[in-house]
Amino acid sequence: MIGDVRVIVWREYRDFRRQIVGHLGLFLLFTCLAGILAPNSYLRSQASSGPGIQVLDWTTLISAFFYAGMISELSFFEERSSGTMQTLLTTSIRPMAVFFGKWMWMMTQTTTLILVIYVCHRLVEVGYSIAGWSVPQLTVEDLAWSALVAFFAWTLCSFIVAANAGLSLVAPKSPLGRIAAMCFLSVPMLGAYGFHKLFAVEWDRRMIWLVGLLCMALSLVSFLVACLIFRLERVRL
């Protein structure tokens, strides 16, 4: 099993190298938007520490959400359209290893994006401090909030990648199928936002923990369902 997963991860790495310009371009786009432009805007407006830090955390979450959705959608749906996914499932590699290896590679990219964005936030603040600007001082509470939102972002992205894997094999190959898949993946975000508006619940730590654990549960369910779909597709082929 581990050997099969290693083979899939190595295969994903080679595909990444072959299309490195496009992958790095997308990575740098989200890094610049959430890691450089967003903190630059808030530091220039002299935002207070609490709201500014929280808003920057949300830009990180949204960037990770779209990035994970785009790379997983492109990988799974494109491979199904080209027929390489079906070819891969007919080899001696276990279906679960195919899914898990691709999931690991995409979550590695998404986790790297989240970490790089947070590092960029700190570097922008250091740059403004050196230039003589007044920069809000980070507190332990701010760092704890950032870590909590990063956990939420990771669980949400894990759900997106796992769900995209399963949807790529059961959704229609037409563009309408992709649109339906994207609508399904937005359910956790829209549900949390609707709950917040409907019941006037504040986005405090308890709420973030609750939504994060819910996304983790959805991720585990999607993970198991995707493994089952990959196995059934192997049997069908």
Side-chain angles (χ1 to χ4, degrees):
M1 176 68 178
I2 297 178
D4 290 343
V5 172
R6 189 184 300 115
V7 169
I8 297 299
V9 172
W10 178 248
R11 176 180 178 272
E12 292 297 310
Y13 170 71
R14 287 185 300 173
D15 289 342
F16 176 84
R17 289 186 60 182
R18 280 198 296 265
Q19 305 174 10
I20 192 168
V21 175
H23 285 293
L24 286 183
L26 187 63
F27 186 92
L28 292 176
L29 173 63
F30 283 104
T31 300
C32 291
L33 289 176
I36 298 176
L37 296 181
N40 178 71
S41 174
Y42 278 99
L43 289 174
R44 281 186 174 276
S45 63
Q46 298 293 302
S48 60
S49 176
I53 294 299
Q54 293 183 19
V55 170
L56 293 182
D57 290 332
W58 287 119
T59 60
T60 304
L61 171 66
I62 295 172
S63 296
F65 172 82
F66 282 105
Y67 181 74
M70 291 178 70
I71 62 173
S72 59
E73 195 269 346
L74 289 173
S75 176
F76 288 115
F77 279 87
E78 288 297 331
E79 286 210 30
R80 183 196 178 189
S81 299
S82 63
T84 55
M85 179 65 75
Q86 287 79 356
T87 303
L88 190 61
L89 290 174
T90 57
T91 62
S92 59
I93 300 176
R94 299 179 183 180
M96 185 175 179
V98 174
F99 162 70
F100 189 63
K102 294 176 75 67
W103 178 88
M104 281 184 60
W105 177 253
M106 293 175 197
M107 288 308 301
T108 299
Q109 294 182 72
T110 305
T111 303
T112 303
L113 177 70
I114 295 173
L115 294 176
V116 169
I117 288 176
Y118 276 117
V119 169
C120 288
H121 287 174
R122 306 289 85 82
L123 292 177
V124 171
E125 291 175 1
V126 170
Y128 269 77
S129 298
I130 295 175
W133 286 69
S134 176
V135 178
Q137 295 297 316
L138 280 176
T139 64
V140 175
E141 184 177 358
D142 293 328
L143 294 176
W145 176 269
S146 297
L148 189 57
V149 176
F151 162 74
F152 176 27
W154 193 91
T155 57
L156 179 63
C157 293
S158 177
F159 160 73
I160 291 171
V161 174
N164 251 336
L167 289 172
S168 66
L169 295 179
V170 298
K173 294 184 179 181
S174 63
L176 184 61
R178 291 191 174 189
I179 294 174
M182 287 188 288
C183 292
F184 174 76
L185 295 176
S186 63
V187 167
M189 287 283 286
L190 294 178
Y193 181 77
F195 183 80
H196 162 66
K197 287 296 184 181
L198 184 62
F199 298 99
V201 178
E202 294 297 330
W203 282 99
D204 55 8
R205 291 184 180 179
R206 183 179 300 178
M207 180 67 175
I208 296 296
W209 269 113
L210 177 63
V211 177
L213 292 175
L214 176 61
C215 286
M216 180 175 287
L218 288 174
S219 176
L220 290 174
V221 172
S222 300
F223 197 96
L224 295 175
V225 171
C227 289
L228 178 61
I229 292 174
F230 270 62
R231 190 174 186 85
L232 292 176
E233 183 70 10
R234 170 73 170 270
V235 174
R236 187 185 68 83
L237 296 173

